[in-house]
Amino acid sequence: MAAQTEESDCAREQTKAEQDVDQVRQRAARDQQRLDSGAVTSPKDLENLQREIASLAKRQGDLEDIVLEVMERRESAQERVAELTERVGAVQGKVDDATARRDAAFEQIDGEVASVTKEREVIAAAIPADLLKLYDKLREQQGGIGAAKLYQRTCQGCRQELSITDINEIRSAAPDTVVRCENCRRILVRTAESGL
Ligand SMILES: [Zn+2]
């Protein structure tokens, strides 16, 4: 945008400089016409007129240099605009690509959430209400994990190895007894790998 502003500023400057050149040129042409017409006869007036024509020629040259200088600046501004426009296009392409990939990922995640939620509903429906209530309470207290696997005598919720006394208690507990970690209080899930 800054390059575009610079370009249009240069364009305005160029128009102004060209108008200045035009004015000086017209004035010089008028003077020249008067000189050629023979209407001016006084030597002093003739000298003044010639001096003005010479000074206007010099002024025109200076103004034309300004026009050229402005045109050069305008040209490099145009090149910069073209280069930046191309870069904007390339970056926009990357943004579009990333957006499309993000949207596809969102869609996939939404699908997974829906299927996991459904799965959880089915499982939750089969669990006794009081146990589910305990689980939900623990889950809220323990950073989203209410139950953990007991793996090789270690609670996978808090990563603490259980004491021999606790292991012995769990070992003698009935299979449907809800056992808890003494350290983090999470429900412990016994498996063949629990080390019991
Ligand atoms: Zn624990």
Side-chain angles (χ1 to χ4, degrees), residues 148 155-160 162 181-186 188:
C155 165
Q156 294 296 290
C158 64
R159 309 276 161 184
Q160 287 280 316
L162 274 65
C181 170
E182 279 304 317
N183 182 50
C184 69
R185 303 302 298 148
R186 287 187 178 94
L188 284 173

Side-chain angles (χ1 to χ4, degrees), residues 77-89:
Q78 280 168 336
E79 276 167 22
R80 185 110 183 94
V81 168
E83 182 206 322
L84 289 172
T85 303
E86 198 184 307
R87 271 168 62 190
V88 166

Side-chain angles (χ1 to χ4, degrees), residues 23-40 45-58 60:
Q23 266 180 2
V24 171
R25 194 188 287 134
Q26 280 171 22
R27 200 168 150 193
R30 271 200 307 273
D31 284 354
Q32 190 64 49
Q33 231 171 8
R34 278 183 69 205
L35 190 70
D36 295 345
S37 71
V40 182
D45 287 348
L46 281 173
E47 202 192 315
N48 281 344
L49 201 52
Q50 275 166 335
R51 197 178 298 134
E52 190 176 280
I53 289 169
S55 128
L56 286 171
K58 162 91 174 61
Q60 186 178 334

Side-chain angles (χ1 to χ4, degrees), residues 41-189:
T41 50
S42 141
K44 195 170 177 265
D45 287 348
L46 281 173
E47 202 192 315
N48 281 344
L49 201 52
Q50 275 166 335
R51 197 178 298 134
E52 190 176 280
I53 289 169
S55 128
L56 286 171
K58 162 91 174 61
R59 175 98 183 105
Q60 186 178 334
D62 291 346
L63 288 171
E64 281 168 349
D65 285 347
I66 292 174
V67 171
L68 283 178
E69 184 266 326
V70 173
M71 280 170 76
E72 269 168 29
R73 268 195 287 133
R74 188 182 177 187
E75 208 169 292
S76 56
Q78 280 168 336
E79 276 167 22
R80 185 110 183 94
V81 168
E83 182 206 322
L84 289 172
T85 303
E86 198 184 307
R87 271 168 62 190
V88 166
V91 171
Q92 189 58 53
K94 281 186 194 166
V95 169
D96 292 347
D97 183 55
T99 304
R101 279 188 285 124
R102 183 204 61 189
D103 290 348
F106 272 157
E107 208 172 302
Q108 196 188 338
I109 291 165
D110 287 347
E112 278 168 29
V113 167
S115 104
V116 168
T117 304
K118 210 170 162 184
E119 240 176 275
R120 187 193 184 278
E121 272 167 21
V122 172
I123 293 166
I127 289 173
D130 54 347
L131 179 55
L132 193 62
K133 200 174 156 191
L134 172 67
Y135 167 77
D136 282 336
K137 195 181 90 185
L138 286 168
R139 191 163 73 127
E140 206 175 295
Q141 289 169 351
Q142 302 290 347
I145 301 169
K149 196 194 272 187
L150 178 62
Y151 179 75
Q152 293 181 353
R153 303 183 182 191
T154 303
C155 165
Q156 294 296 290
C158 64
R159 309 276 161 184
Q160 287 280 316
E161 192 175 343
L162 274 65
S163 70
I164 294 295
T165 322
D166 291 340
I167 289 296
N168 283 337
E169 262 177 45
I170 292 168
R171 193 177 282 141
S172 58
D176 61 350
T177 302
V178 175
V179 292
R180 313 263 300 269
C181 170
E182 279 304 317
N183 182 50
C184 69
R185 303 302 298 148
R186 287 187 178 94
I187 296 163
L188 284 173
V189 180

